Amino acid sequence: MKLENIEWDEAKNEKNKRDHHTSFEVTQYVFADPQRIWRFDRSEGNTSDEERWQTIGKIGRLYFVVYTECGESKRLISARPAEPGERRSYNGYYTIDGKGWTKDT
């Protein structure tokens, strides 16, 4: 079941399952984590003209999700389990690449 205002392309979801063994059906719930952190996607992999965002949130384990905002909706682009540096950032130990993450307070 999709959460309200969360969307994705099903072909991308299938590719994400193959590449990262993680589905958008599960990772959409990072947006329900009140402790999630996010930042603008400054990565070299962002070659599109759209604004992309990265977020890290917990659903039993931590996930790293890339998404774009389309009006009121968030469209998932990719998702995977968080890597060690991302887990440390989520837990408040340091920032990645000197670029800060934002957290609701």
Side-chain angles (χ1 to χ4, degrees):
M1 180 171 91
K2 286 187 181 180
L3 293 176
E4 186 175 341
N5 297 326
I6 304 292
E7 55 190 54
W8 59 79
D9 176 75
E10 195 52 45
K12 242 183 221 266
N13 185 28
E14 291 302 318
K15 181 178 181 340
N16 200 80
K17 288 180 199 177
R18 285 191 307 276
D19 294 348
H20 303 293
H21 309 288
T22 302
S23 74
F24 293 162
E25 289 92 353
V26 170
T27 56
Q28 68 178 322
Y29 290 98
V30 299
F31 296 102
D33 176 4
Q35 299 300 310
R36 81 179 175 92
I37 58 176
W38 67 92
R39 70 178 181 181
F40 184 70
D41 184 353
R42 295 179 179 89
S43 69
E44 292 177 11
N46 183 6
T47 57
S48 70
D49 290 336
E50 66 188 359
E51 279 192 1
R52 290 186 176 184
W53 297 86
Q54 301 170 340
T55 192
I56 301 171
K58 194 171 206 172
I59 318 160
R61 69 185 295 184
L62 288 173
Y63 289 95
F64 178 91
V65 176
V66 177
Y67 67 97
T68 189
E69 294 181 343
C70 305
E72 295 293 316
S73 295
K74 291 174 174 56
R75 184 173 50 84
L76 305 185
I77 296 168
S78 70
R80 59 172 170 72
E83 295 177 350
E86 295 158 351
R87 292 193 300 268
R88 287 190 292 275
S89 289
Y90 178 87
N91 290 312
Y93 293 117
Y94 81 129
T95 60
I96 297 176
D97 303 325
K99 307 288 192 255
W101 291 85
T102 303
K103 185 178 229 179
D104 282 336
T105 53

